[in-house]
Amino acid sequence: MFKKILNRKSRKEILKDVKALRSKVDELENFRVLHKNAENAIKGTEEELAKRSWALKKTGETFKALYHELNKKNQRLERFDELKSQFVANVSHEFKNPLYVISESLSVVLDGLMGEINPKQRKILEGGKNNTERLLRLVMDMLDLSKIEAGKMEIRREKFDMVALVDEILTAQEREIAKKQITLERNISRSVSPIWADKDRISEVIINLISNAVKYTPNNGSVAVKLLGTKREIRFEISDTGEGVKKQDFLKIFDKFKRVTAERQEGTGLGLPIAKDIVELHRGKIWVESEFGKGSKFIFVLPKDLRGGKRE
Amino acid sequence: MSKKILIVEESSIMFSVLKDMLEKEGHSILLSETGEAAIEIAKTDNPDLVITDTSLPDIDGFEVCRRIKNFETESIPKVIITTGDVDAVDAEKAHDAGANDYCAKTSDSLHLVRAVKGLV
């Protein structure tokens, strides 16, 4: 058989076949190497993937653990904050009654109910009474704030006449206004209908804004009070010719954690933050407009009726 | 079962927290405050497990792990790398260093104890 082939194929042809076979073998060898390389590459990628997924899993676990840690710390901080607020509230509360008693006792003596007092005695007692009242205001501010913080400030809605309330408060401030020879401009729309709101709280806001305006307005300056009502809202504005508020402080003055005019202000500096909380509890809005050096204007807007959209 | 565990930790507070928890599990505890010393202790005392922080005063925890894993002894300790930061790259580094586990340091250390249970 071999002979047959030899017969059929010349030596030259056989050599050609051998060569072709060799190149096939080479080709196969190349394929083998390529295949091996590909296999290694896949293995490498698989290892890399396994490593990555391990790392991802571990990172996920660490995130989870650290998240729990943060959460725990946060809860502890919240608890501490609560305790602090509770402490402030308790202390303020304990201060309130004795201060009332001191203030009232001084009034009784000052009013001459305990007999005549001489001018020297009067002066000393008046100093005592003024300071006691200042302390009382501070304590009341702290109490208000801790109530707001604890979410315990309640809005007791009643129907009342804003025009009369503003008049009443302005009358109470008349002495101070006259003392500084401040010109008071009243622009109170008599047609403002009664609103449903917490009279005591709103009165607190207005007293705060008016007394601030009077306090910061220099002698012979002017203060303008404006009250107007639309169908749904009531708008109160008070402008003064005091120093004004810098633009960067427009929000800060309403923030209980930031005091802008610390040195000049007597009091807690909590008046405006409390006013803001009260207005916002009524679903209203309060803000300031001012050009520094020219005075400022405080505005608040209240919905006339916040009884869940019900109309009177 | 009681195991010998080496803790590599610079903070003495963290160390005592870990020590208490692991001793409660019945393990005996060794301490090293530096990386180099840890490698020596690992060589001589032959612990079953090494728990190392990533940041140490001399070499880092990854290096400690790498060198322990290259011991030419029969029983190479298992290694857990712990960290106060979270970084995916760190977990990969821990893997490259041959660590058996990688976990965050937290105040309760519960998951670390769990990791220890999973290994020894």
Side-chain angles (χ1 to χ4, degrees):
Chain A
M1 186 179 160
F2 202 58
K3 256 183 186 173
K4 255 187 187 170
I5 296 166
L6 273 178
N7 284 343
R8 255 191 265 141
K9 287 192 176 176
S10 70
R11 203 182 144 74
K12 206 174 162 188
E13 273 172 330
I14 290 168
L15 276 174
K16 206 174 140 196
D17 283 352
V18 167
K19 215 172 158 187
L21 261 172
R22 270 207 191 119
S23 89
K24 276 278 180 232
V25 168
D26 283 350
E27 217 172 285
L28 270 174
E29 176 61 21
N30 280 344
F31 269 128
R32 208 185 58 79
V33 170
L34 277 175
H35 185 245
K36 187 85 200 152
N37 286 349
E39 250 180 16
N40 286 342
I42 287 169
K43 209 175 151 213
T45 315
E46 273 171 355
E47 274 168 13
E48 183 68 24
L49 269 176
K51 178 175 119 182
R52 289 274 166 86
S53 84
W54 186 86
L56 265 177
K57 191 175 147 234
K58 291 298 154 190
T59 310
E61 284 169 11
T62 35
F63 265 132
K64 217 168 143 190
L66 291 177
Y67 172 77
H68 280 298
E69 180 85 345
L70 262 179
N71 218 6
K72 235 169 63 186
K73 281 192 178 151
N74 198 29
Q75 275 171 5
R76 274 181 60 201
L77 280 176
E78 272 172 10
R79 177 85 193 111
F80 280 140
D81 191 52
E82 228 170 76
L83 285 174
K84 181 221 69 187
S85 298
Q86 194 59 49
F87 176 75
V88 170
N90 290 347
V91 170
S92 309
H93 193 77
E94 292 300 319
F95 271 57
K96 201 176 81 179
N97 291 337
L99 282 169
Y100 263 132
V101 174
I102 297 170
S103 173
E104 285 311 302
S105 313
L106 288 170
S107 292
V108 167
V109 181
L110 276 166
D111 289 347
L113 296 176
M114 297 285 125
E116 282 294 310
I117 50 170
N118 67 38
K120 228 173 167 180
Q121 289 168 329
R122 172 169 298 278
K123 208 180 162 200
I124 287 174
L125 288 176
E126 271 173 350
K129 181 157 164 67
N130 285 342
N131 279 289
T132 311
E133 274 176 355
R134 194 178 145 204
L135 213 49
L136 251 175
R137 280 199 304 275
L138 285 173
V139 165
M140 298 306 274
D141 274 3
M142 309 258 279
L143 262 176
D144 273 355
L145 205 64
S146 55
K147 267 188 207 153
I148 291 167
E149 272 185 352
K152 279 183 191 152
M153 163 92 68
E154 278 168 30
I155 296 296
R156 274 185 296 270
R157 290 160 291 194
E158 58 180 304
K159 192 177 167 192
F160 70 91
D161 183 358
M162 268 288 265
V163 177
L165 181 69
V166 173
D167 274 342
E168 195 183 294
I169 294 168
L170 281 173
T171 308
Q173 292 277 332
E174 251 165 18
R175 216 167 63 110
E176 194 61 23
I177 292 170
K179 214 166 92 186
K180 290 180 85 174
Q181 293 183 301
I182 289 171
T183 316
L184 177 69
E185 195 186 307
R186 291 173 194 232
N187 188 351
I188 294 168
S189 161
R190 297 286 144 188
S191 61
V192 174
S193 53
I195 66 164
W196 280 87
D198 189 318
K199 190 179 174 188
D200 290 341
R201 297 292 179 203
I202 294 302
S203 148
E204 228 179 289
V205 174
I206 296 171
I207 290 172
N208 182 275
L209 292 179
I210 293 178
S211 61
N212 269 353
V214 173
K215 186 157 72 187
Y216 290 118
T217 300
N219 289 351
N220 302 312
S222 63
V223 169
V225 177
K226 200 170 172 184
L227 181 71
L228 28 106
T230 62
K231 200 173 161 200
R232 295 224 165 96
E233 287 175 347
I234 211 159
R235 182 184 174 103
F236 176 90
E237 295 182 7
I238 180 158
S239 335
D240 62 59
T241 55
E243 199 178 28
V245 180
K246 287 180 186 145
K247 203 167 181 182
Q248 67 260 33
D249 295 333
F250 280 10
L251 292 175
K252 271 191 215 161
I253 53 173
F254 293 104
D255 186 336
K256 52 185 161 276
F257 299 112
K258 290 179 181 129
R259 286 194 64 170
V260 181
T261 50
E263 314 88 47
R264 286 189 49 196
Q265 205 165 324
E266 81 164 44
T268 47
L270 295 173
L272 286 175
I274 291 170
K276 180 173 185 264
D277 282 328
I278 293 172
V279 169
E280 284 176 356
L281 279 170
H282 281 86
R283 289 185 222 144
K285 210 172 163 273
I286 185 169
W287 70 97
V288 64
E289 291 170 3
S290 173
E291 198 179 320
F292 190 62
K294 287 192 176 169
S296 46
K297 186 195 225 177
F298 285 83
I299 301 124
F300 73 80
V301 177
L302 289 180
K304 273 186 182 166
D305 187 348
L306 32 81
R307 296 170 303 163
K310 267 185 267 162
R311 295 270 156 251
E312 197 193 346
Chain B
M1 204 183 124
S2 171
K3 298 283 176 183
K4 202 192 280 181
I5 300 176
L6 166 62
I7 297 174
V8 195
E9 174 65 63
E10 200 188 354
S11 145
S12 56
I13 299 169
M14 198 64 213
F15 169 71
S16 58
V17 170
L18 284 179
K19 184 173 183 277
D20 286 353
M21 296 212 80
L22 294 171
E23 275 177 349
K24 248 178 230 160
E25 301 285 314
H27 303 300
S28 61
I29 306 299
L30 301 166
L31 165 72
S32 170
E33 286 178 8
T34 67
E36 293 287 358
I39 291 162
E40 283 314 304
I41 296 172
K43 252 181 214 159
T44 52
D45 290 73
N46 202 20
D48 300 289
L49 173 69
V50 179
I51 299 173
T52 175
D53 188 14
T54 46
S55 69
L56 298 168
D58 49 355
I59 52 174
D60 67 22
F62 303 108
E63 180 66 18
V64 172
C65 176
R66 199 171 298 120
R67 280 168 52 188
I68 287 175
K69 287 295 178 186
N70 281 333
F71 280 178
E72 282 171 358
T73 51
E74 249 177 64
S75 56
I76 291 174
K78 300 228 163 95
V79 178
I80 298 177
I81 297 182
T82 61
T83 179
D85 323 308
V86 205
D87 201 321
V89 181
D90 277 0
E92 283 187 26
K93 264 166 88 181
H95 187 275
D96 288 341
N100 300 82
D101 211 339
Y102 174 82
C103 53
K105 278 200 292 194
T106 54
S107 58
D108 60 15
S109 305
L110 272 176
H111 64 288
L112 185 57
V113 171
R114 222 174 292 138
V116 171
K117 270 188 188 153
L119 283 177
V120 296

